[in-house]
Amino acid sequence: MRRDFYATVAQVLPVLLLALVFESRHLERIGGQRRRLRREDPENGVRFWTKGRVRVYTMSVAVIVLSDVGLCVLALAGSVPDSAPLRGFVAAGVMLTLATLLFRISVDVMGATRELQTRTGSDR
């Protein structure tokens, strides 16, 4: 049963990492934006997610995901014994990845629909 957990996580996390980093236009969009803090640019500034913070957060998530995958492979190979802390770390990495993906999807959807409202002047 626990082998299935590690095997599933080892297969799912790379797909989620691909969705977070490589398959989205999120990083391309941020690269083309000026992302100064709101106190520096009250009209167009961001509240928290400056380019530096996005860089650190995205790299941190990528390191955690890759660590999780590596630990899953090591657990499947029998090199790392199964334990509650290991399962907790792996599960926390999955939850962090899913929460990050949900946040990014939410921001993209809200931004796309807000743009539509501005363009058409309707609430659709």
Side-chain angles (χ1 to χ4, degrees), residues 43-119:
E43 189 174 323
N44 298 313
V46 296
R47 292 198 172 126
F48 181 79
W49 291 108
T50 61
K51 285 185 180 183
R53 288 178 177 155
V54 170
R55 179 185 315 114
V56 168
Y57 184 80
T58 302
M59 291 302 298
S60 298
V61 170
V63 166
I64 290 168
V65 168
L66 293 173
S67 298
D68 271 1
V69 171
L71 285 171
C72 288
V73 170
L74 290 173
L76 288 169
S79 299
V80 175
D82 178 45
S83 65
L86 178 63
R87 288 189 306 273
F89 181 79
V90 170
V94 171
M95 297 310 294
L96 173 68
T97 307
L98 291 173
T100 301
L101 192 55
L102 176 63
F103 178 77
R104 182 152 328 145
I105 289 168
S106 300
V107 168
D108 287 345
V109 167
M110 289 187 312
T113 56
R114 189 175 307 123
E115 183 180 338
L116 182 63
Q117 288 176 354
T118 303
R119 223 181 13 228

Side-chain angles (χ1 to χ4, degrees), residues 11-54:
Q11 292 173 17
V12 168
L13 277 179
V15 175
L16 293 176
L17 183 62
L18 187 65
L20 283 172
V21 178
F22 299 109
E23 278 299 315
S24 77
R25 298 212 177 254
H26 178 73
L27 296 176
E28 290 175 20
R29 187 178 68 244
I30 287 176
Q33 293 176 344
R34 295 185 62 168
R35 297 185 64 82
R36 296 185 309 183
L37 287 173
R38 192 165 294 249
R39 71 174 175 259
E40 298 168 6
D41 183 0
E43 189 174 323
N44 298 313
V46 296
R47 292 198 172 126
F48 181 79
W49 291 108
T50 61
K51 285 185 180 183
R53 288 178 177 155
V54 170

